[in-house]
Amino acid sequence: MQSSIRTNADGYKWVSTTLIPIRWGDMDRYGHVNNTVYFRYMEQSRVEWLEHIGIVTAAEEKSSVIIDAHCVFLLPMQHPGTVRVELFVGPPGRSSFDTAHELYLTGDDRCHARGSARLVWIDHASGKSTPLPEELRALLG
């Protein structure tokens, strides 16, 4: 029996798709999207998903921080176009979880970039990690 849960190559669970228009200013002097902007696309995808599930992303007493981010650039992207960011999440740890991102151009099935980020929940007053919120843990598990 096949699972109806969509996963990526690492077995992470798909949670959302975000469409982001490529702005003219996203490109660099070589005429393609600057490598730093890919991280913004991934960030926008994570923030929209967290807000959609009711997790506050503003600087609260306890919230997430990124402790590691990575991107492999496979194919260039140019303006005009729309980036489709597929977001996947890994299993929860005590205070952290991993995300994976696949970036495509709409109308093109080729993956243009793959990225990841590890989110850690911290208590801003102490600067130390704190357990993930239970509602988030339930969605990740």
Side-chain angles (χ1 to χ4, degrees):
M1 181 174 178
Q2 281 190 317
S3 170
S4 62
I5 297 175
R6 185 171 145 203
T7 60
N8 71 355
D10 295 322
Y12 288 9
K13 176 173 67 172
W14 173 86
V15 292
S16 75
T17 299
T18 302
L19 299 175
I20 304 170
I22 297 173
R23 300 170 304 177
W24 175 258
D26 290 347
M27 295 191 304
D28 59 22
R29 65 173 266 175
Y30 301 108
H32 54 73
V33 172
N34 184 277
N35 60 341
T36 61
V37 177
Y38 287 69
F39 288 94
R40 292 282 186 200
Y41 295 156
M42 292 184 283
E43 174 186 60
Q44 185 65 34
S45 172
R46 285 189 309 272
V47 168
E48 284 185 18
W49 172 68
L50 287 167
E51 289 175 348
H52 175 75
I53 63 172
I55 302 295
V56 177
T57 55
E60 297 289 322
E61 186 178 309
K62 297 177 183 177
S63 66
S64 66
V65 295
I66 301 292
I67 64 162
D68 180 52
H70 178 75
C71 189
V72 177
F73 307 96
L74 302 169
L75 295 166
M77 296 189 287
Q78 295 93 15
H79 176 273
T82 301
V83 180
R84 187 181 88 231
V85 184
E86 301 290 343
L87 174 61
F88 301 84
V89 295
R94 182 191 78 82
S95 61
S96 67
F97 68 98
D98 293 330
T99 62
H101 306 79
E102 296 176 359
L103 285 72
Y104 300 85
L105 287 174
T106 56
D108 187 342
D109 289 334
R110 298 175 300 164
C111 186
H112 286 65
R114 286 190 180 88
S116 62
R118 176 165 289 168
L119 283 74
V120 175
W121 240 253
I122 65 162
D123 178 321
H124 291 284
S126 70
K128 297 185 187 273
S129 66
T130 187
L132 291 170
E134 283 306 315
E135 62 271 23
L136 177 59
R137 179 178 296 287
L139 289 170
L140 296 171

